[in-house]
Amino acid sequence: MKTATLKELSDLVGGIVSGDENKEIRDIAPLQTAEPDTISFLADVHKIRDLSASRAGAILVPIDFIADQCPSIQVPDVVAAFEKITLFFRPQRTDLVQGISPKADIAPSVQMGNDVKIGSGVSVGEEVVLGDHVVLYPGVVIMSGSSIGENTIVFPNAVIYENCVIGKNCLIHSGAVIGAYGFGYDSSSGEHILSRQWGNVVLEDRVEVGACSTIDRGTYASTRIGYGTKIDNLVMIAHNCQLGRHNLICASTGVAGSTTTGDYVVMAGRVGVRDHVHIGTGAVLGAMAGIMASVPEGAKVVGIPATPDKQQMRIQVAIARLPEMRQELKEMQKNIQKLLEKMGD
């Protein structure tokens, strides 16, 4: 187990020690679970109450902030410094895949760049192109005609169907399926006959696809995921979708066919988007929102069906008052009845 003094950690991150610089640290931890031999961080000084309740032996804090509760290291960027210290105590393993396993099934026509790493049980089909420094973990399947850009990592048991294009510096996590057939059927004969899906999937550079997420191939053209978009676990993106750059799509979201988005769209957990709508640049779709129509640029919507957030708040307030309003209505009906009876007399 690695250990370091606060002075050594301060030198690592270019910080300033306040308190015992010889204090020995053995690991990192969040404030809530920190122990006296661990270091944690406080990025937001307004959350000083969290620090007061913590058992951390030391703390990373912003410049000019003094933590009276325990020794500290002042740094310009708390989060970046904590990541450096995390890597010191918990270095990433680099030996999980080495070279090309003799147990991989690689077609003769595969084109490989420099320093490609392929694990045991990987299947790579005909005419696949693998760029420099691509890593394929055990159990990955890359079907014929696909290409994977340099520095992309594909984790165990992910599947990339035929003719898909994966950009540079992408991450595809375990169990993801890229390029499966879209959910399209011809029902004119009385049976549901699968329509041929002739397109593919294109992931632009720096796209991340979470574990067990699926992205269906286009019917005739490409389903496309824009540069820098990050897709969480258990997300479904249907055929012909065109997602913009730097979207964030959270877990269990489903995006129906032929949906398009602008850039920097955020879809929170369990959002459902119907087909053939457009989500404007910078729009935020709140958790479990049901999107039944296009969403304007910069809008924030929540609810089922989704409406602007302020309108939805008014709706929820009104719903919460329904029992009270129902009782008031009953009282009004009684009073009206009494009034009518008096008038009748």
Side-chain angles (χ1 to χ4, degrees), residues 74-290:
Q74 298 175 13
V75 291
D77 187 331
V78 172
V79 174
F82 193 68
E83 287 184 358
K84 283 186 179 180
I85 292 175
T86 299
L87 285 173
F88 171 81
F89 286 113
R90 304 177 184 181
Q92 290 183 310
R93 295 185 179 273
T94 58
D95 59 346
L96 297 179
V97 179
Q98 290 293 325
I100 298 175
S101 171
K103 296 181 180 179
D105 181 11
I106 303 172
S109 58
V110 172
Q111 300 179 43
M112 273 191 261
N114 298 317
D115 192 33
V116 172
K117 297 177 181 178
I118 300 178
S120 175
V122 170
S123 175
V124 185
E126 296 287 352
E127 299 179 351
V128 167
V129 177
L130 304 177
D132 296 344
H133 313 295
V134 164
V135 179
L136 306 180
Y137 276 77
V140 166
V141 175
I142 311 294
M143 296 174 68
S144 298
S146 291
S147 65
I148 301 179
E150 63 186 49
N151 299 314
T152 285
I153 299 174
V154 186
F155 285 98
N157 301 316
V159 178
I160 299 174
Y161 277 56
E162 68 274 14
N163 300 320
C164 290
V165 179
I166 311 300
K168 302 174 183 177
N169 299 292
C170 293
L171 287 178
I172 300 175
H173 286 279
S174 296
V177 178
I178 312 297
Y181 295 164
F183 196 67
Y185 296 87
D186 180 357
S187 303
S188 59
S189 65
E191 297 184 38
H192 304 304
I193 308 300
L194 179 66
S195 300
R196 177 65 177 168
Q197 305 294 310
W198 296 99
N200 69 346
V201 171
V202 175
L203 304 187
E204 296 183 2
D205 297 346
R206 300 190 179 278
V207 168
E208 297 182 17
V209 179
C212 297
S213 289
T214 62
I215 306 174
D216 287 350
R217 68 198 307 109
T219 305
Y220 298 110
S222 299
T223 299
R224 181 176 294 271
I225 311 298
Y227 179 98
T229 285
K230 313 301 182 186
I231 298 169
D232 200 356
N233 303 332
L234 298 169
V235 170
M236 162 62 187
I237 298 175
H239 58 188
N240 303 322
C241 287
Q242 305 289 310
L243 303 191
R245 296 161 59 92
H246 301 295
N247 285 197
L248 291 174
I249 304 178
C250 298
S252 300
T253 288
V255 182
S258 299
T259 291
T260 60
T261 73
D263 300 335
Y264 295 98
V265 167
V266 176
M267 301 185 192
R270 297 186 68 185
V271 165
V273 183
R274 62 152 292 174
D275 59 296
H276 292 84
V277 298
H278 177 72
I279 313 300
T281 292
V284 177
L285 316 183
M288 299 181 68

Side-chain angles (χ1 to χ4, degrees), residues 274-329:
R274 62 152 292 174
D275 59 296
H276 292 84
V277 298
H278 177 72
I279 313 300
T281 292
V284 177
L285 316 183
M288 299 181 68
I291 307 301
M292 305 302 293
S294 293
V295 177
E297 181 175 321
K300 295 180 180 180
V301 299
V302 293
I304 305 173
T307 57
D309 54 350
K310 293 181 180 179
Q311 178 182 345
Q312 188 65 218
M313 289 177 65
R314 291 194 295 270
I315 292 171
Q316 294 304 317
V317 168
I319 290 174
R321 288 196 63 230
L322 281 177
E324 178 185 346
M325 294 166 67
R326 182 172 180 270
Q327 187 60 38
E328 290 174 352
L329 179 59

